[in-house]
């Protein structure tokens, strides 16, 4: 079983800003390996080690995803090599096009039969790319896995969903998304960072993996105002007095029964 | 590329073992044509969905589901989360009750290709797998964070959030779209069956991947209906250990509130079940009061409580982001403030 792990080089939206016309400005937000993708890389590395397989990294996005800084950040987390679909036409790509790019990279490799991904990316947070990638490949997909075990030719997945912990088994090629808290990722050490510089990086264009054009025309943009909050400071030096004041205010607001004593 | 959307085209709403489709139906109605629910689950599930206000129900077959609502009054089997039969082979359990809903992804893909239509799904893991299969099969863009959806001059027009909720875009599409509705609200029980309004249910000879749910154990603890709670106490990483959550539970008991949490407490630490965390990837709630305790107020968390009437923050760091997003701010130690608050609330009630 040849194993790959996909990740996104993405910026944190809490560092983005929006101008008066509603255009989101990402220029001050620095991209990195998306938080939960580090979890996926570690899970995939452990699986690959257990299976005696190599681990291929996959990513898709604008050209910067294949730049040395970005590639090394991923390779130092334990990938053996990286295949990056790096094309500026993929900037801001939706899950359908990102999934097509990743599936195309998997198909070009021809030997990969298991792709691990993270729960969701920090910028979009939709958690759809694993499902769409599986759709493009015609593979099985399972999301929110807490544990993945390779069991002969099949997979054993454990996950928590809909209020139950489930153990699921199946054979065949698959895309598995790992739950956000499946493992606590270790930061790469000095040795890993040095080794990363020597690893192979394959760069592909969007056309090489059959990604179509972006769809949709933006008709209007607006800035979203979050409802203003009152921001009343309640002095908490004396806890008893503080909570009495809070309860009084909430009662006055009609939220809690009772009122000031 | 593709031609304008046929205003008579169907809109699919996906119910992968989860009968909560009302929010999807409301959005689907914005697109005009008939609304067709695509369902997997025990026999009672397509029947329940048929009464939810759709025009037609296509039943792909049985599957494992953890939602008790799927089988009202069921005495055994699924809803108790008992160990399932291992089946005679992967996915060939006689009735399909041990098949995960994800197994039907190829049937969903075939369906939307044979009769193209827009597709809407919720955020549950199986729903996302189906939606992904549909999006790839149709080569249709996937939309998230959609506040409004409509058909204007043969184009699908969506108003959606961008940049983590700081901006909004109105986008027009020439072809079909796949829409994921945000949030993972607790399952709202369906209104009782109204036979007069019940849509026709057709069974589809659906293909599926051989996959088996070997075992399912219910998550410990009673279910809590966060969406319905008027008062919610949210616990964050400011609690030093799981046992200390008793402070939040006691306060919640005294107030008649439900306890929610930030994501790390449910995923990673595993102190509370997954259906208790609030945020963009968890529950989106709108209680009258949200009391955030030891929560820093990251954008991903606050996205889940934007609709709260009043937000109170208790945090020992006056500079925590939550302090700028609350109505009442108590900068102090939760270990002092919570017991005092619990005592005061309990005192009020006497
Ligand atoms: C793609 C993505 C999606 C995410 N989705 C979600 C989501 O849906 N929901 C969610 O919640 N998070 C989500 N997160 C995680 C989110 O970014 C934050 O990491 C998380 O919300 C932080 O949880 P916290 O506030 O409990 O912990 P922290 O950020 O660690 O904050 C703990 C707070 O407790 C305070 N504190 C410590 N001790 C005390 C004390 N004794 N008394 C009072 N205060 C104290 C500290 O000052 C601090 O502000 C997501 C992240 C990503 C990348």
């Amino acid at each position: 079983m040849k194993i790959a792990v996909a990740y996104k080089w993405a910026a944190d939206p809490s560092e983005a800003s929006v101008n008066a016309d509603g255009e989101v400005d990402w220029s001050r937000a620095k991209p990195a390996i998306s938080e939960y993708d580090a979890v996926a890389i570690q899970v995939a590395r452990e699986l690959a080690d257990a299976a005696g397989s190599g681990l291929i990294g996959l990513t898709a996005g604008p050209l910067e995803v294949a730049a040395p800084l970005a590639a090394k950040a991923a390779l130092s987390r334990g990938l053996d090599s990286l295949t990056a679909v790096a094309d500026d036409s993929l900037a801001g790509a939706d899950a359908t096009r990102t999934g097509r790019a990743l599936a195309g990279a998997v198909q070009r490799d021809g030997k990969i039969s298991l792709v691990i991904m993270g729960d969701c990316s920090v910028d979009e947070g939709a958690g759809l790319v694993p499902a769409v990638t599986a759709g493009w490949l015609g593979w099985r997909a399972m999301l929110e896995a807490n544990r993945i075990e390779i069991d002969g030719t099949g997979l054993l997945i454990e996950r928590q969903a809909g209020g139950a912990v489930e153990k699921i088994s199946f054979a065949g090629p698959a895309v598995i998304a790992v739950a956000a808290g499946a493992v606590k990722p270790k930061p790469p050490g000095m040795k890993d960072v040095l080794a990363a510089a020597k690893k192979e990086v394959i760069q592909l264009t969007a056309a090489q993996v059959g990604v179509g054009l972006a769809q949709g025309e933006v008709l209007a943009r607006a800035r979203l105002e979050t409802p203003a909050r009152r921001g009343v400071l309640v002095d908490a030096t004396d806890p008893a007095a503080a909570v009495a004041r809070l309860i009084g205010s909430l009662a006055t607001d009609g939220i809690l029964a009772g009122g000031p004593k | 590329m593709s031609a304008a959307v046929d205003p008579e085209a169907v809109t699919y709403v996906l119910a992968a073992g989860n009968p909560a489709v009302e929010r999807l139906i409301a959005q689907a109605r914005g697109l005009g044509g008939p609304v067709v629910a695509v369902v997997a689950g025990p026999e009672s599930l397509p029947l329940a969905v048929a009464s939810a206000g759709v025009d037609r129900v296509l039943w792909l077959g049985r599957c494992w589901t953890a939602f008790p609502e799927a089988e009202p009054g069921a005495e055994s089997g699924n809803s108790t989360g008992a160990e399932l039969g291992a089946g005679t082979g992967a996915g060939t359990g006689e009735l399909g009750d041990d098949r995960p809903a994800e197994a039907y992804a190829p049937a969903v893909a075939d369906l939307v290709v044979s009769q193209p239509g827009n597709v809407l799904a919720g955020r549950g893991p199986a729903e996302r797998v189906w939606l992904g299969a549909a999006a790839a099969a149709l080569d249709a863009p996937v939309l998230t964070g959609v506040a409004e959806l409509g058909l204007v001059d043969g184009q699908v027009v969506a108003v959606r959030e961008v940049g983590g909720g700081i901006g909004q875009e109105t986008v027009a599409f020439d072809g079909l779209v796949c829409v994921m509705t945000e949030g993972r609200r607790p399952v709202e029980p369906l209104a009782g069956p109204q036979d007069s309004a019940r849509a026709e249910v057709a069974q589809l000879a659906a293909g599926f991947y051989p996959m088996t749910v070997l075992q399912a154990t219910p998550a410990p603890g009673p279910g809590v209906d966060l969406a319905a709670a008027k008062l919610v106490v949210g616990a964050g990483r400011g609690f030093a250990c799981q046992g200390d959550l008793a402070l939040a539970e006691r306060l919640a008991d005294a107030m008649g509130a439900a306890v929610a949490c930030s994501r790390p407490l449910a995923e990673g630490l595993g102190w509370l079940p997954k259906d208790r965390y609030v945020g963009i990837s968890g529950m989106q709630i709108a209680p009258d009061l949200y009391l955030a305790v030891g929560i820093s107020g990251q954008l991903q968390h606050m996205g889940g409580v934007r609709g709260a009437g009043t937000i109170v923050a208790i945090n020992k760091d006056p500079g925590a982001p939550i302090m700028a997003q609350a109505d009442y701010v108590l900068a102090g130690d939760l270990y002092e403030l919570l017991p005092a608050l619990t005592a005061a609330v309990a005192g009020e009630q006497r």
Side-chain angles (χ1 to χ4, degrees), chain A residues 35-59:
Chain A
E35 188 174 329
Y36 297 146
D37 291 346
V39 176
I41 295 176
Q42 182 148 328
V43 167
R45 181 71 259 172
E46 287 166 11
L47 263 180
D49 289 345
S53 149
L55 182 62
I56 301 175
L58 302 173
T59 194

Side-chain angles (χ1 to χ4, degrees), chain B residues 3-350:
Chain B
V5 176
D6 174 3
E8 292 305 306
V10 302
T11 298
Y12 294 103
V13 297
L14 307 184
N18 179 346
V21 289
E22 284 88 346
R23 283 179 306 135
L24 300 179
I25 295 168
Q27 268 195 335
R29 287 286 170 215
L31 294 173
V35 176
V36 176
V38 183
V39 182
E43 263 136 352
S44 56
L45 206 141
L47 292 177
V49 172
S51 309
V54 296
D55 298 307
R56 218 146 72 82
V57 176
L58 295 176
W59 185 33
L60 301 179
R62 302 176 73 93
C63 76
W64 150 254
T65 172
F67 291 99
E69 284 81 354
E71 213 155 8
E75 285 154 40
S76 64
N78 292 349
S79 50
T80 59
E83 182 149 340
L84 299 169
T88 47
T92 55
E94 262 213 307
L95 292 166
D97 281 344
D98 60 351
R99 188 179 296 146
E102 284 87 345
Y104 290 103
V108 175
D110 289 348
L111 174 66
V112 299
V113 168
S114 68
Q115 195 188 353
N118 295 299
V119 187
L120 274 61
R123 204 189 162 112
E127 276 81 7
R128 276 183 283 150
V129 167
W130 285 14
L131 190 68
L138 294 168
D139 191 4
V142 178
L143 314 184
T144 59
V146 173
E148 282 171 58
L149 195 63
L151 198 65
V152 181
D153 300 332
Q155 281 193 313
V156 175
V157 176
V159 179
R160 66 169 175 203
E161 280 182 11
V162 291
I166 52 177
Q168 196 177 54
E169 276 179 4
T170 306
V171 196
F173 295 89
D174 286 332
L176 296 168
V177 298
C178 292
V179 179
M180 183 179 81
T181 61
E182 299 298 298
R184 189 183 300 178
R185 298 191 194 184
V187 181
E188 292 146 35
L190 294 169
Q194 303 156 286
D195 280 318
S196 55
R198 191 174 261 193
E200 171 208 341
V201 178
Q203 191 169 0
L204 214 68
F208 54 86
Y209 293 130
M211 302 170 102
T212 311
V213 180
L214 297 178
Q215 197 190 338
T217 321
V224 166
D225 191 356
L226 276 189
K230 295 256 175 279
L231 309 174
V232 175
V233 175
R237 256 194 316 217
F239 287 81
C241 66
Q242 183 168 13
D244 292 351
L245 286 181
L247 294 175
E249 300 279 359
R250 261 178 242 140
L251 173 61
D253 280 349
M255 290 171 61
V259 174
C261 65
S262 65
R263 188 169 192 178
L265 263 61
E267 288 196 70
L269 295 171
W271 292 353
L272 282 168
K274 235 169 155 177
D275 57 5
R276 295 269 203 112
Y277 83 83
V278 163
I280 55 156
S281 26
M283 300 290 177
Q284 277 138 50
I285 57 173
D288 295 340
L289 172 68
Y290 183 63
L291 179 60
V293 186
I295 288 180
S296 60
Q298 300 305 314
L299 165 134
Q300 291 94 349
H301 182 80
M302 299 311 285
V305 291
R306 235 179 264 156
T310 295
I311 297 180
V312 175
I314 295 183
N315 196 304
K316 72 174 178 193
D317 174 11
I322 187 127
M323 304 309 233
Q325 305 175 68
D327 296 290
Y328 296 101
V329 172
L330 281 76
D333 191 336
L334 74 89
Y335 287 93
E336 291 173 7
L337 288 165
L338 281 203
L341 191 51
T342 307
V345 171
E348 286 292 332
Q349 286 169 348
R350 242 173 256 132

Side-chain angles (χ1 to χ4, degrees), chain A residues 186-223:
Chain A
K186 295 188 281 276
M190 181 60 116
K191 265 207 339 243
D192 307 312
V193 175
L194 292 173
K198 302 190 191 82
K199 293 176 180 171
E200 183 190 19
V201 179
I202 298 172
Q203 198 171 329
L204 301 170
T205 64
Q208 278 175 301
V209 290
V211 182
L213 295 174
Q215 297 175 44
E217 184 198 347
V218 177
L219 305 178
R221 286 196 169 89
R223 183 189 175 122

